[in-house]
Amino acid sequence: MKVTEFLHVAILVTDLERARGFYGGILGLQPVARDLKFPGAWYQIGQQQIHLIVSDGVPTQSLAAKWGRNHHLALAVADLEVAHATLTAHGYSSQMSASGRQALFTQDPDGNVIELGEVG
């Protein structure tokens, strides 16, 4: 077997409209059309996608003190300070990366951990 490309990640959410507000509104991701019979929303980032799938519950984080040591999705941002200010303005907490990298961790409304790293 030879894996050649990363296509998408699926994230479980309990409230689709609230999740759309975070992923499409606060993170500013671009939605893409989907023609499926179950509730969800797809977002495009470059050649990859994030698939939000509605579920009755989501797995809890096992290491609450260090968000980055839990399962998480990492996204690149152009300016980490702007990302931090945007999250703070919308009431989202964050933790700076303990590694010293230009990165922070936040959580979506369902507690899914998102890493935002400045790449440049």
Side-chain angles (χ1 to χ4, degrees), residues 21-22 25-27 83-93:
F22 179 79
I26 294 170
L27 295 183
H84 184 256
T86 301
L87 291 166
T88 301
H90 287 91
Y92 286 90
S93 299

Side-chain angles (χ1 to χ4, degrees), residues 14 22-23 32 81 89 102 117:
T14 59
F22 179 79
Y23 289 91
V32 293
E81 289 183 25
Q102 284 293 100

Side-chain angles (χ1 to χ4, degrees), residues 8-112:
H8 72 266
V9 63
I11 298 174
L12 300 178
V13 300
T14 59
D15 182 321
L16 185 58
E17 291 312 310
R18 184 176 67 172
R20 281 183 172 145
F22 179 79
Y23 289 91
I26 294 170
L27 295 183
L29 302 182
Q30 295 302 306
V32 293
R34 61 185 288 280
D35 187 24
L36 298 170
K37 295 184 181 358
F38 61 91
W42 287 188
Y43 291 93
Q44 192 77 37
I45 304 173
Q47 297 299 310
Q48 293 75 36
Q49 292 184 349
I50 293 176
H51 294 179
L52 302 181
I53 299 173
V54 177
S55 176
D56 290 336
V58 299
T60 59
Q61 301 300 326
S62 59
L63 298 168
K66 296 284 186 182
W67 295 348
R69 294 186 186 166
N70 291 287
H71 67 273
H72 63 274
L73 169 67
L75 303 173
V77 295
D79 188 320
L80 192 61
E81 289 183 25
V82 170
H84 184 256
T86 301
L87 291 166
T88 301
H90 287 91
Y92 286 90
S93 299
S94 62
Q95 292 180 352
M96 296 306 293
S97 174
S99 71
R101 293 177 300 114
Q102 284 293 100
L104 64 77
F105 296 90
T106 192
Q107 294 181 341
D108 76 4
D110 282 295
N112 294 301

